[in-house]
Structures are given as structure tokens and as C-alpha cells.
Amino acid sequence: MPVTVLSHPACNRHNVGSDHPENPARLHAISDQILSSGLEFVIHQRDAKAADVEQIALAHDRAYIQSVISKSPSAGQVWLDDDTAIMNKSLEAAMYAAGAGIMAVDLVMQGHDQQVFCAIRPPGHHAESAQAMGFCVFNNIAIAAKYALAQFGLRRVAIIDFDVHHGNGTEQIFRTDERVLFCSSFEHPFYPYTDPIGTPLCLKMPLAAGSQGAAFRQAFTSEWLPALRAFQPELILVSAGFDAHQEDEMAHLKWTEHDYAWIASELKQLAQEYCGGRIVACLEGGYAHSALGRSVVAMLKAWI
Ligand SMILES: [Zn+2]
């Protein structure tokens, strides 16, 4: 079964300037690398649909959603937090970014696809139920998880977050939800400076600055894999950030695209073992454009 990539041109109309690291060149870099890899012939590329307010409200307070809508400017920029700006096209982009995750859940749960990567922006995993944060407006992966639980009656959804930053928003949204096992690796100490101690349903893997992919692989195998096997997920969701790459100057880990291929392969094996191969991955960070594009292609190749 082919691997699917979902995106939408609206995601690239969110543009708060090329001096902001979270800019449209990121998705262009991914498209360019997919094109030059030759993979376009073996992956299924589709346009995402937009989410609606009801779907966003699966993971966010309605008052927060209304505040984002009312703050959306017709010109210029509005800052939702110190790092997160929106302009007149940002709300539409955020609705398509969240909608991609929902559409991807439909595709895998209805048996049309197995592994789906959502090439979307703005990213989502820092956004809490009532707070934009760290370039994120709506928490795309949390909305996808809530949708999968509600729409398909799932009882066990695993979320793997290998972005270099901890997915604080995802942790906050699922803190009291026993249907979700959240596993997050991150450089520590580093933004967003959350407590590195996890719980049985929120596994945290703090990684020292300068550490290589081997440290992640070892902890994944010895700590996360047994917990994931015991949990027996019915669906695997991935907050796929690529800013732990050694070429990415946003942080200080030393991963390479081979590490992303390894993670993708491990997750596919796990998905085949427990949930019919169903994986939905949403793009989070990744700011070194060439490394980002190469890492996404490495992940897609591992799935193919
Ligand atoms: Zn990040």
C-alpha cells in the first residue's frame, strides 16, 4: 500500500516573514526533496481538507478558538505569544493543518491508506487547550487523536513526539486521559522547560545537548518499546519534528536523517504488529531546510 502525503497550499499562505524560522520555505524544502528523490511516483500526494470549529473544539476551549478568530488581522501581524504571530492567512492555514490530521485519521481508519504524513504548518504540539505557544496555534496531533477517539471509538491511541522540544501542549491536553499514551523525547534543559519527570501515560525522554541519535535509539528500545507493546495501540500518531537534526541550529542534538529512518521503521513495525500498520504523522519543527527535506524523505523511504 502506498505511503500518502497530505498538504494544502493554504498552509504556505501563513507567512509572518522570512526572518521568522517557521516560514513557507520549510514546506517548499520538503516538496523539493520529495521531487528530487523520485519518490513522487510511489507516494500518494493529496490535498488536505480544512477542519471546522467543532473539530478544533475537540482539543481546544471554545473561548480560545473565538479569541484566535477575533484577533485574526485583516492586515499586519498579531502576536499570540512571544514566538507566535498570525496574519490574515494564518487562521485558514491553521484550519487546514488541523484538517489534514483529521483527514489522515479517516484515511487510515477506513483502510484507504496505512502511513500518512501531513506536510503542514503552522505546527501544533506546543499549543495548549487555551493557549497558543511556540509557533503553534492549534494542536494538530491532539485534535487528530481526539477525533480518532470520538469518531472511531478507539480506546488506545499512542502519540510519539520526537521533535527536539517537548510537546507540552499535547501533554496538557491528555494529562487526565487514560486512552492516550504520550511519549515525548526532547533536549533538556531546553524550551519549553517543562518538568522532565513523566508518568506511566506520559513517558518523557530528556536528552542532553550534544547527544546523538544513538541515545534516543537506546532509550526508545529499552523504555518506550516495552511500554508501547504493553499498551497495544490501536492507532499510532506522530508529532514529527525534525529539529533534533545536527544541521538544525534551533537546538543542540546531533541526529541525522538515518535516525529518522530508524524511528520510522521501528514505528512501522510496531504499527504492523498492533494496529494494521496505521500511522498518522504531522509535521512539527525542523528549520534547517535541506536537513528537513532529507529527513522527511528518509522517513517516507523507511515506510515504503
Ligand atoms: Zn521543535
Side-chain angles (χ1 to χ4, degrees), residues 166-205:
H166 174 53
N168 60 287
T170 311
E171 178 184 5
Q172 182 261 335
I173 289 166
F174 292 108
R175 191 167 282 150
T176 58
D177 193 333
E178 294 187 343
R179 300 170 298 174
V180 175
L181 173 63
F182 180 47
C183 305
S184 178
S185 60
F186 49 91
E187 181 177 330
H188 176 75
F190 201 51
Y191 182 90
Y193 302 102
T194 33
D195 186 344
I197 308 296
T199 66
L201 283 173
C202 177
L203 304 185
K204 297 188 181 182
M205 189 197 297

Side-chain angles (χ1 to χ4, degrees), residues 46-293:
R46 304 172 71 145
D47 272 353
K49 295 181 213 160
D52 59 32
V53 168
E54 288 305 306
Q55 292 169 328
I56 303 292
L58 290 167
H60 292 282
D61 293 358
R62 286 176 192 274
Y64 168 66
I65 301 168
Q66 281 310 317
S67 83
V68 174
I69 293 170
S70 64
K71 285 175 186 168
S72 293
S74 52
Q77 297 180 2
V78 170
W79 290 82
L80 300 180
D81 91 328
D82 290 347
D83 305 310
T84 315
I86 54 171
M87 37 73 79
N88 64 338
K89 302 291 186 187
S90 301
L91 180 63
E92 184 191 27
M95 299 304 266
Y96 274 97
I102 288 169
M103 180 173 163
V105 167
D106 278 336
L107 290 172
V108 301
M109 291 308 301
Q110 293 166 355
H112 301 296
D113 293 294
Q114 285 194 325
Q115 293 90 45
V116 181
F117 173 63
C118 302
I120 49 171
R121 47 183 298 277
H125 72 152
H126 293 304
E128 299 191 347
S129 54
Q131 177 64 52
M133 190 174 155
F135 315 162
C136 304
V137 179
F138 299 134
N139 193 317
N140 307 311
I141 208 76
I143 292 165
K146 290 276 193 185
Y147 177 77
L149 293 164
Q151 184 72 14
F152 297 98
L154 300 187
R155 290 173 298 173
R156 295 181 310 280
V157 173
I159 304 177
I160 313 297
D161 185 331
F162 56 73
D163 189 277
V164 81
H165 305 95
H166 174 53
N168 60 287
T170 311
E171 178 184 5
Q172 182 261 335
I173 289 166
F174 292 108
R175 191 167 282 150
T176 58
D177 193 333
E178 294 187 343
R179 300 170 298 174
V180 175
L181 173 63
F182 180 47
C183 305
S184 178
S185 60
F186 49 91
E187 181 177 330
H188 176 75
F190 201 51
Y191 182 90
Y193 302 102
T194 33
D195 186 344
I197 308 296
T199 66
L201 283 173
C202 177
L203 304 185
K204 297 188 181 182
M205 189 197 297
L207 297 164
S211 71
Q212 299 183 331
F216 172 87
R217 296 188 195 200
Q218 190 178 26
F220 180 94
T221 305
S222 64
E223 295 165 29
W224 285 9
L225 211 46
L228 285 160
R229 289 215 163 101
F231 185 71
Q232 302 190 353
E234 297 166 297
L235 171 67
I236 295 177
L237 302 180
V238 185
S239 266
F242 299 90
D243 40 9
H245 196 285
Q246 61 183 357
E247 291 171 27
D248 201 308
E249 294 180 348
M250 185 66 76
H252 317 92
L253 297 194
K254 303 289 178 198
W255 297 10
T256 70
E257 45 269 46
H258 303 296
D259 296 307
Y260 296 109
W262 183 88
I263 299 165
S265 167
E266 289 288 314
L267 293 177
K268 183 175 176 178
Q269 279 180 43
L270 193 72
Q272 285 174 329
E273 213 171 316
Y274 293 103
C275 51
R278 294 191 288 263
I279 302 178
V280 169
C282 290
L283 179 66
E284 301 285 2
Y287 306 97
H289 298 160
S290 170
L292 169 63

